[in-house]
Amino acid sequence: RTCNLTACSSKYVLSQMHPMWQGPLTIPGGERQSPIDIVVRKSIFDSELKPLVTDYDPHTCQQIWNNGYSFLVEYDDTTDKSTLKGGPLQDKFRLCQFHFHWGESNAWGSEHTVDRRLFPAELHLVHWNSDKYSLFEEAVMEDNGLAVIGVFLKVGKRHEGLQKLVDALPAIRHKDSIVEFTRFDPVCLLPSNTDDYWTYHGSLTTPPLTESVTWIIMKQHVEVSHDQLAVFRSLLFTSAEEDVQKSMVNNFRVQQSLCGRTVRSSFT
Ligand SMILES: NS(=O)(=O)c1ccc(NCc2ccco2)c([N+](=O)[O-])c1
Ligand SMILES: [Zn+2]
């Protein structure tokens, strides 16, 4: 049975115009797709959920690049130097990259929502299960293969830690551009309180949409300035050779049905 993948309001559908979404999207099972709306009053407090334990080594940061849908900061994941454990996880997970999703305006842009509340952007820190698998490409196909931390961004004061990343963006304006990017500790992008989160079993939010993700969505958001977010929007979906340049905005997926899943909370 594939769950009916409901589309939400029309504005979500816009972001499905991107070439990435063309062609047959046979979704494996389709009963644990992401993103979703987190209905707070329906989430279940689970006292077994532990605090998150992140241990990131900024020296594993390697490059930043525009993949034509977002921009990714990639880490050397050939050893257990930058790891995530605890929270809902039984195993140790290795950080491989982080990226963002955002809107053309501050009114929307996040992939997940909380009681239908939209945020202007959402950060995803992607980790794979290095206790059970030896490569990301292997883990991405397995139920317990990935763990992604989601952090909501709100427009407010300037985020000093983010500025180093914002300053690198003009160099990767076009699809497939890449520059060296080192000594960046992503812990600065996490909220001060990482003990309060929601967690549920879901999928990648872009193809191959594999249902291999334990999502860990932070309750507390982080603030970035309007100008910092405007630089995200100066990126392009298109490569330098293409005639028509398209702004990289609204790179989020339509919200998916819960299909009977439970969202657990680590807090009451
Ligand atoms: N928005 S997300 O965090 O769910 C997400 C989506 C796609 C991919 N990757 C797409 C992909 C291609 C082959 C295997 O994987 C990743 N990731 O790689 O971290 C993360
Ligand atoms: Zn993402």
Side-chain angles (χ1 to χ4, degrees):
R1 188 179 72 83
T2 45
C3 206
N4 59 321
L5 308 180
T6 53
C8 298
S9 64
S10 61
K11 70 167 169 289
Y12 282 115
V13 182
L14 275 183
S15 60
Q16 311 311 302
M17 311 278 271
H18 185 276
M20 159 184 295
W21 296 99
Q22 311 317 324
L25 274 184
T26 49
I27 291 160
E31 279 132 9
R32 52 170 282 194
Q33 288 291 294
S34 295
I36 60 167
D37 174 47
I38 295 167
V39 183
V40 174
R41 72 186 184 291
K42 288 187 179 171
S43 63
I44 310 280
F45 169 64
D46 180 350
S47 58
E48 303 279 298
L49 289 172
K50 297 177 180 54
L52 284 187
V53 179
T54 56
D55 179 7
Y56 295 143
D57 175 353
H59 294 96
T60 57
C61 189
Q62 291 183 321
Q63 62 268 340
I64 185 169
W65 69 289
N66 177 331
N67 73 349
Y69 190 67
S70 182
F71 64 90
L72 320 177
V73 176
E74 293 189 317
Y75 285 74
D76 166 20
D77 62 356
T78 53
T79 68
D80 266 340
K81 277 209 190 118
S82 289
T83 59
L84 166 67
K85 56 188 198 313
L89 306 170
Q90 306 309 321
D91 298 320
K92 181 186 288 190
F93 286 69
R94 231 177 249 178
L95 173 69
C96 62
Q97 58 110 312
F98 69 81
H99 63 275
F100 298 80
H101 302 264
W102 59 92
E104 64 193 288
S105 90
N106 293 337
W108 65 80
S110 60
E111 297 212 297
H112 292 87
T113 51
V114 178
D115 288 343
R116 290 280 167 216
R117 176 183 176 190
L118 291 152
F119 291 83
E122 183 173 333
L123 159 66
H124 289 159
L125 292 138
V126 184
H127 312 73
W128 55 273
N129 188 330
S130 57
D131 278 349
K132 293 225 165 36
Y133 310 107
S134 46
L135 284 173
F136 168 83
E137 286 71 19
E138 251 180 83
V140 76
M141 307 306 289
E142 306 295 334
D143 281 6
N144 58 356
L146 302 183
V148 183
I149 296 176
V151 182
F152 294 117
L153 272 59
K154 256 190 79 180
V155 176
K157 64 183 188 308
R158 179 183 145 105
H159 191 300
E160 293 310 328
L162 186 73
Q163 196 53 38
K164 176 178 175 176
L165 189 151
V166 168
D167 290 339
L169 297 184
I172 57 161
R173 273 197 85 207
H174 289 99
K175 179 174 187 285
D176 296 331
S177 47
I178 182 165
V179 291
E180 186 185 58
F181 191 73
T182 56
R183 287 184 304 284
F184 185 85
D185 187 344
V187 78
C188 78
L189 299 176
L190 293 175
S192 50
N193 169 11
T194 57
D195 290 349
D196 292 355
Y197 56 84
W198 294 281
T199 183
Y200 76 99
H201 294 295
S203 73
L204 295 179
T205 65
T206 69
L209 301 171
T210 40
E211 299 182 330
S212 54
V213 181
T214 298
W215 280 96
I216 302 166
I217 308 290
M218 292 291 115
K219 178 188 177 200
Q220 189 179 56
H221 62 265
V222 296
E223 280 191 19
V224 302
S225 72
H226 176 88
D227 290 356
Q228 289 177 314
L229 214 41
V231 181
F232 283 24
R233 300 187 185 109
S234 73
L235 293 173
L236 300 168
F237 280 134
T238 43
S239 59
E241 298 73 39
E242 293 178 63
D243 307 342
V244 181
Q245 298 296 333
K246 295 193 187 94
S247 294
M248 184 181 276
V249 292
N250 301 330
N251 54 357
F252 53 80
R253 189 191 188 191
V254 169
Q255 295 212 323
Q256 305 297 307
S257 310
L258 197 54
C259 293
R261 283 174 284 178
T262 299
V263 176
R264 288 180 292 160
S265 67
S266 67
F267 62 96
T268 53

